[in-house]
Amino acid sequence: MTLRGARQVDFAYQAVYRYMINLINEVSSDTRVKLPSLRQLSQRLNVSISTIQYAYSLLEKEGRVYSVAKSGYYAWPLAGSPVSWPSGDLLERLYVAARRPGMVVLSGDEPALLASLDGTLLGLERELVRQYPRHLQPWSQPCGVWELRAALAARYTTSPTRCWHADDVYIGADLRGVLDILIEVLGLRGSTVIVESPCDWLILRVLRDAGVRILELPWSDEGSLDLVMLEGMLRSEPVHLVLLSSSVSLPSAVAMQPRDRQGVAKLLDQYACWLLENDSCGELGFKQPQAPLRDLVNPERLVVFSSFEKILGPEAPFGYALARHSSGELQRQFLLRAFRLSSIRQRAIARVYQSGRIDQHLHDLRRLLREQAGEMSQYLDRYLGDQVSYRMPAGGGAFWLGSTQPVDMRQAFQYLLARQVVVAPGELFSVSGLHHQHLRLSHTFHGQPNLESALETLGEALRQAQIA
């Protein structure tokens, strides 16, 4: 078999990815199955080893395969189906279910699925490999390559007083690694932190694992923050910092209103409190962007974190942070982590920013996301009707749905798993028992053929799980 010339609109790794999906489905069993090596697949499909590696990395990111040092790649076994688990970690059950063949996965939030820059990145990499032969590449750049750090600094600079420099930017292997470092540098272990709620489960689990005491500040059904509650927390609790989104908060898909932004900034200044700003979806708002929260607070008590994954896709998994202070400790922590990052991939991303291609990409991505959200809204109204309530998302790739009747959402989750549908129960996005009547539903289905059937099944699951 050869992939050269097949579906010329695709890059080779995409064809390899599809081939591997079919292969995994063919070999899936109740025991782990070793998959072909990089070299074997390279010879079989007549593509480069690096192309095979890209495909495997994406499959590993999706949880379909896992790697064993000095052994190779393996497909996850089908044993231990979450359908039969009466209890256990809900997030683990979701992940295991999502990687089983044949599942309709509506639990994710992957906006970049609709518009990928993988072709652009691969083309830039080919140019850069010629420009930067391996022997000319610096052996170690623990905080990221200078070109990408400078590009991000320029991107975040908005005025002479709201400016950033390359030395203020730190790039890590992924978002979790960057968050782990920030917890150490900011001294968050054992401290008290206010977090918007619902909040991404990765952030919540990283904080919880570090022994952080989390106070949740919930978004209202109307899409606003309770500033009176926030002030009460700041006044009565030993709050170290507040963690909020820059503009669009996910999974609730709420855009912070100007009045809320001004109110939050005023309270943070009044109580001399730090802001840890999550900018993961800051550029995925559907409407004209307002001034982000970071431009309203004291820059000396500000740290911003984000990743490229939401806007560029899994080919750009790097996380990053911006901070004007603690540079020595940040550099030390990044050096200790010894992140092994592709300098060529970082330079390719930098060129996407420097050339302005990122702006056209974001324009196209936001348009596609907005169209998909409108289409999904029609499906929700048609198949779920008055069973759920929701606000149209202000950005991103998912809906935040609330059940209009009291339901046992875990029971609904189990019912759906038994029928090969995966959604994300709302309780995953809280550490204090909030959002039990909610769920996150992706709208980046991209022509999912089973969507209508899956939504009908969701409606039945909610009916079956109603609490008398």
Side-chain angles (χ1 to χ4, degrees):
M1 176 181 179
T2 179
L3 297 184
R4 299 201 183 280
R7 289 194 62 175
Q8 294 180 0
V9 295
D10 286 345
F11 276 77
Y13 99 92
Q14 294 173 300
V16 173
Y17 172 84
R18 288 194 300 274
Y19 173 83
M20 290 304 301
I21 289 292
N22 291 330
L23 181 61
I24 291 168
N25 290 342
E26 290 171 1
V27 302
S28 293
S29 68
D30 289 341
T31 59
R32 75 175 191 171
V33 176
K34 186 173 182 179
L35 297 169
S37 69
L38 301 179
R39 188 170 300 279
Q40 287 171 333
L41 280 176
S42 174
Q43 294 173 349
R44 181 186 305 178
L45 303 178
N46 192 26
V47 296
S48 69
I49 288 180
S50 62
T51 297
I52 303 296
Q53 181 66 68
Y54 279 131
Y56 262 135
S57 297
L58 181 55
L59 291 165
E60 190 170 16
K61 170 76 171 63
E62 294 176 344
R64 297 177 184 269
V65 305
Y66 65 99
S67 60
V68 177
K70 299 181 180 180
S71 179
Y73 286 92
Y74 293 81
W76 281 97
L78 297 183
S81 166
V83 175
S84 61
W85 294 351
S87 60
D89 187 289
L90 184 61
L91 181 57
E92 183 178 355
R93 292 159 66 190
L94 186 151
Y95 274 138
V96 172
R99 61 179 173 246
R100 288 175 60 85
M103 303 297 282
V104 180
V105 181
L106 298 177
S107 56
D109 178 25
E110 302 289 344
L113 286 177
L114 295 182
S116 172
L117 275 180
D118 57 287
T120 298
L121 291 174
L122 289 172
L124 289 170
E125 283 189 342
R126 286 193 287 270
E127 296 176 13
L128 287 163
V129 166
R130 292 191 292 269
Q131 184 177 348
Y132 294 94
R134 185 172 297 277
H135 68 279
L136 294 180
Q137 295 182 33
W139 72 271
S140 176
Q141 294 182 313
C143 299
V145 300
W146 183 89
E147 292 94 329
L148 184 53
R149 298 172 74 189
L152 287 173
R155 185 82 176 175
Y156 278 83
T157 293
T158 56
S159 74
T161 57
R162 302 282 176 177
C163 60
W164 300 88
H165 302 283
D167 288 342
D168 300 326
V169 182
Y170 305 85
I171 300 169
D174 54 30
L175 185 57
R176 183 183 185 106
V178 170
L179 288 174
D180 285 337
I181 288 176
L182 291 180
I183 286 171
E184 295 297 331
V185 174
L186 296 173
L188 298 187
R189 292 187 182 276
S191 69
T192 300
V193 170
I194 296 175
V195 175
E196 63 185 336
S197 187
C199 179
D200 185 277
W201 61 54
L202 170 65
I203 296 171
L204 292 177
R205 293 206 170 205
V206 171
L207 292 175
R208 190 183 64 185
D209 291 348
V212 176
R213 178 172 172 246
I214 300 172
L215 303 180
E216 296 187 68
L217 179 66
W219 287 94
S220 71
D221 292 338
E222 292 73 36
S224 62
L225 288 173
D226 188 336
L227 298 185
V228 174
M229 177 185 290
L230 175 59
E231 182 172 15
M233 291 177 177
L234 292 172
R235 184 174 59 249
S236 62
E237 299 282 356
V239 176
H240 192 96
L241 59 75
V242 177
L243 194 160
L244 294 169
S245 296
S246 58
S247 54
V248 177
S249 175
L250 296 180
S252 57
V254 172
M256 189 181 294
Q257 298 302 308
R259 181 178 178 181
D260 280 349
R261 284 197 296 274
Q262 294 286 350
V264 168
K266 181 178 179 180
L267 288 173
L268 292 177
D269 184 62
Q270 178 181 342
Y271 289 92
C273 191
W274 284 69
L275 171 66
L276 182 57
E277 185 188 70
N278 178 4
D279 196 40
S280 299
C281 294
E283 297 200 86
L284 292 180
F286 297 158
K287 295 183 179 179
Q288 185 70 23
Q290 303 291 327
L293 188 55
R294 61 180 173 271
D295 282 354
L296 304 176
V297 302
N298 184 345
E300 300 305 320
R301 292 195 294 269
L302 166 69
V303 176
V304 181
F305 70 88
S306 185
S307 77
F308 302 102
E309 193 165 4
K310 294 293 185 186
I311 60 174
L312 298 182
E315 298 83 10
F318 310 131
Y320 61 86
L322 294 91
R324 287 187 176 184
H325 47 79
S326 304
S327 58
E329 183 59 18
L330 278 164
Q331 290 173 15
R332 189 178 79 86
Q333 289 290 338
F334 273 82
L335 183 61
L336 288 174
R337 295 276 169 164
F339 291 130
R340 298 185 64 84
L341 312 181
S342 166
S343 60
I344 292 297
R345 175 51 55 100
Q346 290 180 75
R347 287 190 173 96
I349 295 172
R351 291 200 174 183
V352 168
Y353 278 81
Q354 293 163 349
S355 66
R357 274 180 273 196
I358 187 66
D359 295 307
Q360 183 60 51
H361 168 70
L362 285 168
H363 178 271
D364 295 340
L365 179 57
R366 285 190 291 260
R367 175 181 56 79
L368 290 169
L369 288 169
R370 187 167 56 247
E371 291 173 358
Q372 289 286 94
E375 189 174 344
M376 178 60 106
S377 175
Q378 296 177 15
Y379 280 120
L380 292 175
D381 293 343
R382 184 186 311 164
Y383 291 103
L384 297 179
D386 59 2
Q387 287 183 277
V388 298
S389 61
Y390 65 89
R391 293 170 54 87
M392 281 297 294
F399 276 75
W400 183 244
L401 305 180
S403 174
T404 56
Q405 299 295 324
V407 298
D408 182 339
M409 197 61 75
R410 284 208 174 200
Q411 179 183 329
F413 176 70
Q414 287 294 119
Y415 181 96
L416 289 166
L417 290 189
R419 290 153 183 81
Q420 297 187 299
V421 178
V422 186
V423 298
E427 66 176 279
L428 289 170
F429 304 91
S430 170
V431 294
S432 61
L434 302 178
H435 318 307
H436 275 272
Q437 298 298 301
H438 290 80
L439 59 94
R440 183 181 71 183
L441 204 67
S442 170
H443 64 71
T444 55
F445 47 87
H446 201 51
Q448 168 61 252
N450 300 323
L451 178 64
E452 296 178 60
S453 175
L455 292 177
E456 287 182 330
T457 304
L458 174 57
E460 182 59 29
L462 294 175
R463 282 189 289 272
Q464 294 287 341
Q466 283 188 16
I467 301 172

